Amino acid sequence: MNRYIVCIPFLFLSSILFAQTSDNTLTRSPYSLFGLGVQSNSNIGTNSALGKGGIALESKNMINNYNPASFASIPEQSFLLDIGFLGEFNTISNSNGDESRLAASFSNLAFAFSINDSSGLGVSIVPFTDVGYSLVGITSNIEGSQDEFISSITGSGGLSDIRINYGYRIFDNVRVGIRASYIFGSILETENITTVDSYLDIIEENYYNGLRLGVGFQFDINDSYSMGLTTDLPTSLHSSQDRLVEKTLDNVLITVENEEDLFVTNFKLPLEIGFGIRAKPINTITINADYKMNMWGQTEQSDNIGQFVNQSIVSLGAQYKANERGFKYWQHIEFRAGINYDTGYLKVNNKVIDNYGFSAGLGLPINRKGTSMLNISYTTGQRGSVSGLLLQENYNLINVNLSLKDTWFQRIFFK
């Protein structure tokens, strides 16, 4: 166990340094052009294979970041650690044809532990949004003339979420929790404009940071059924911008503008409310179902391209494990599957950009007790459609999480 504790500061520092780099390669989605980017596909532990759901699930053998109340279920003297990797392969389709894109990187780090027999604490750093778009070779006419110019726009970066979760067990079947998030990051956009005899480079980097609070609740109806509730409060992210404009004319570089810490309207995050249930009809199968509403329409803000609308997310997942107390390796393998539908939160040309996905995965035990797992999941889905200026994105995701569980501060007696 001590070797895990020694690794934590180094892993945590590495994740922070990675999250602060401007070239975030966790997505190549063209829809990351909108708002703060696409909502991250990174998940901790088993959630990716369960349709991105788990509001009513406990944190006995895995970290459940979906509900802070779940941290009260961490067994006493237990320590959990999760390290994640995400790979994404996309095919972008429009009326002119298809294009394939690939992105991959480490995606998350999280650890959690019990404080006593009725409470637990967890810390995680995960991507909050991802940005990675590229629009190349856009030809337009110069106003008032017959000449043309060609522009190329690229964007990269994204926001990260450092989160602290605390859960407390009020009664044997009732758990409550609170979480605090520090959301931060930057989005870099570069536009290159080329004419017959000149070049213009516009580089803008927007910075965001802010705090957000949330609460959670879990209630075990009996051994087979549980329910959960979560609420994330609305907040406003402080925003600023660095802007550099350079022009090249007759091979002479001229700085047109170079400003730092410019005022940018703060970005509002909405009220988010989630409800989930867990059912275990037989000992070998666990089913989870979630519904979440994000009140983007109440933020009264708009994107340069579209309008924010209320977002609904529905997820359903199932897990099969042959025998929790079995002695054979295969009896501890966990088989998972899930579906997810997201109505989207941005309306462009009177059409909301929705998203759906199907997932499947395995939990492969890496210790004798079957409590530490190598979790692997595959998700395939579609975002948007070929309509007007919109694109259809078919995506394939592979999430790999190393989820470790061990006991610490355990007394050893010698005769």
Side-chain angles (χ1 to χ4, degrees):
M1 186 66 236
N2 290 333
R3 61 182 179 275
Y4 297 162
I5 299 175
V6 172
C7 290
I8 289 171
F10 299 101
L11 292 170
F12 197 70
L13 178 60
S14 299
S15 295
I16 292 176
L17 292 175
F18 162 75
Q20 290 177 324
T21 58
S22 60
D23 185 17
N24 193 321
T25 56
L26 285 175
T27 188
R28 286 289 184 258
S29 171
Y31 286 110
S32 63
L33 170 69
F34 304 131
L36 297 177
V38 294
Q39 294 171 317
S40 178
N41 290 310
S42 300
N43 279 285
I44 296 174
T46 64
N47 301 106
S48 295
L50 297 175
K52 297 183 181 179
I55 293 176
L57 299 180
E58 295 179 310
S59 289
K60 288 184 177 180
N61 293 323
M62 60 104 181
I63 298 175
N64 180 17
N65 237 22
Y66 279 55
N67 192 334
S70 71
F71 287 76
S73 62
I74 299 175
E76 190 175 9
Q77 295 183 329
S78 292
F79 182 88
L80 307 175
L81 175 66
D82 189 280
I83 305 168
F85 173 87
L86 172 65
E88 179 178 306
F89 177 75
N90 298 350
T91 301
I92 313 301
S93 303
N94 59 22
S95 56
N96 296 323
D98 299 337
E99 178 185 347
S100 298
R101 301 176 180 181
L102 178 66
S105 185
F106 287 102
S107 60
N108 69 266
L109 172 69
F111 64 89
F113 55 90
S114 64
I115 298 176
N116 50 45
D117 60 355
S118 60
S119 63
L121 182 72
V123 179
S124 64
I125 178 167
V126 296
F128 185 71
T129 64
D130 300 320
V131 176
Y133 58 87
S134 177
L135 307 174
V136 180
I138 304 172
T139 303
S140 306
N141 289 323
I142 299 176
E143 187 175 354
S145 74
Q146 299 297 319
D147 296 333
E148 293 181 337
F149 68 90
I150 301 174
S151 62
S152 298
I153 304 173
T154 60
S156 61
L159 275 62
S160 297
D161 182 359
I162 298 180
R163 178 176 297 183
I164 299 176
N165 289 286
Y166 173 75
Y168 181 77
R169 182 186 294 110
I170 300 177
F171 305 107
D172 288 342
N173 63 337
V174 178
R175 299 176 293 278
V176 295
I178 186 171
R179 60 183 168 211
S181 291
Y182 176 64
I183 300 170
F184 69 102
S186 65
I187 298 174
L188 176 66
E189 181 177 273
T190 302
E191 182 176 6
N192 307 110
I193 301 174
T194 305
T195 64
V196 175
D197 57 359
S198 67
Y199 303 92
L200 184 67
D201 294 326
I202 304 173
I203 303 173
E204 295 178 343
E205 186 163 13
N206 291 344
Y207 299 89
Y208 302 91
N209 66 84
L211 295 174
R212 193 182 202 186
L213 297 176
V215 295
F217 170 82
Q218 287 185 334
F219 172 65
D220 297 331
I221 301 171
N222 52 41
D223 291 340
S224 300
Y225 297 95
S226 301
M227 60 173 287
L229 294 168
T230 59
T231 299
D232 289 297
L233 301 179
T235 191
S236 183
L237 301 180
H238 173 74
S239 309
S240 64
Q241 183 185 90
D242 292 348
R243 178 180 171 88
L244 174 64
V245 180
E246 294 180 330
K247 182 177 182 180
T248 302
L249 182 62
D250 296 331
N251 294 322
V252 178
L253 180 63
I254 303 171
T255 299
V256 179
E257 182 181 353
N258 189 2
E259 299 287 343
E260 295 183 353
D261 201 26
L262 296 174
F263 171 79
V264 179
T265 303
N266 290 348
F267 192 91
K268 297 177 183 178
L269 297 179
L271 173 68
E272 300 182 2
I273 300 173
F275 172 76
I277 58 174
R278 176 195 67 89
K280 198 168 185 178
I282 57 178
N283 288 334
T284 57
I285 295 178
T286 302
I287 300 171
N288 63 278
D290 289 2
Y291 173 76
K292 192 175 182 182
M293 170 68 78
N294 300 337
M295 313 295 286
W296 283 100
Q298 276 60 56
T299 62
E300 298 181 349
Q301 61 185 354
S302 61
D303 189 83
N304 292 332
I305 302 176
Q307 174 188 358
F308 288 97
V309 295
N310 289 342
Q311 176 186 27
S312 293
I313 303 173
V314 181
S315 64
L316 177 67
Q319 175 176 285
Y320 170 81
K321 188 174 183 178
N323 189 348
E324 293 184 357
R325 299 181 180 180
F327 295 100
K328 297 180 180 179
Y329 178 84
W330 66 267
Q331 293 177 317
H332 292 276
I333 296 176
E334 298 177 354
F335 300 87
R336 310 181 185 110
I339 59 175
N340 178 283
Y341 177 69
D342 180 350
T343 63
Y345 65 95
L346 191 66
K347 181 186 289 185
V348 179
N349 294 333
N350 293 320
K351 186 174 181 61
V352 180
I353 304 169
D354 63 351
N355 173 18
Y356 65 84
F358 303 90
S359 57
L362 292 172
L364 303 175
I366 57 175
N367 66 350
R368 292 183 179 179
K369 297 179 181 179
T371 53
S372 293
M373 291 275 184
L374 178 64
N375 294 302
I376 304 171
S377 68
Y378 168 75
T379 302
T380 182
Q382 177 181 304
R383 181 184 288 113
S385 60
V386 179
S387 175
L389 297 176
L390 297 181
L391 307 171
Q392 178 176 303
E393 177 187 1
N394 297 306
Y395 58 84
N396 298 274
L397 308 172
I398 295 179
N399 287 86
V400 179
N401 291 81
L402 181 62
S403 303
L404 306 175
K405 179 184 178 182
D406 209 336
T407 304
W408 64 352
F409 301 140
Q410 188 174 26
R411 294 180 180 180
I412 300 176
F413 296 93
F414 297 92
K415 292 185 178 181

